[in-house]
Amino acid sequence: MIPSPILTNKPDNLVFLDIETTGLSMDHGARTCEIAMLKVSDGVETEFNTLVNPGCPIPEFSSNIHGITTEMVKNAPKFCDIAEDIADFISGFVLVCHNAYFDLNFVSKEIMESGINSPEMYFLDTLIISRQYFSFESNKLGDIAKILDIEVTQAHRAMADVLTMKSISKYLFANL
């Protein structure tokens, strides 16, 4: 993964990406259980959003955070079944994430474990941008949204977080 030197105040030709997981570390068996992406290309928005069957039970502590249960994902596709679609969706675009290393490490590893070459991932991290260039009292996604008076429909679900991140990005990019 390569941090992107590209930053304009027009959030276009980007993919906003967020995942939910069964835990904090793939090294300790955690897997992706939801992925959402919003591609903004030449003013056109395209969504990719799905629950993912992680192939393991979702621990209660994780379900308590994002609300995704083992029952909810039992008929969802496994990551390997959608890995090529994900790689194609993000290929050639700058990714925007809040805490990018977390999300992109999972996505990159799961793509590679699916036997597909992971595309180069250039990214902007709204968490790093917030910490380096702004003085928010808290740099949590929901807290920044509250400070900027951005409505949050649902916290800790991938597409809701993607939409919140997109709104926050407009402010961040315009005020750098």
Side-chain angles (χ1 to χ4, degrees), residues 98 127 138-145 168:
H98 196 79
L127 177 61
S138 166
N139 291 302
K140 293 180 181 177
L141 188 67
D143 292 344
I144 294 171
I168 288 171

Side-chain angles (χ1 to χ4, degrees), residues 19-39:
I19 63 169
E20 301 303 331
T21 64
T22 63
L24 298 176
S25 170
M26 283 189 77
D27 293 337
H28 293 101
R31 305 302 287 194
T32 302
C33 60
E34 184 178 40
I35 185 167
M37 299 177 287
L38 176 66
K39 182 183 290 186

Side-chain angles (χ1 to χ4, degrees), residues 73-92:
V73 300
K74 72 178 183 181
N75 295 319
K78 293 188 176 188
F79 200 98
C80 62
D81 297 329
I82 58 173
E84 191 168 349
D85 294 332
I86 293 167
D88 290 345
F89 196 89
I90 64 177
S91 184

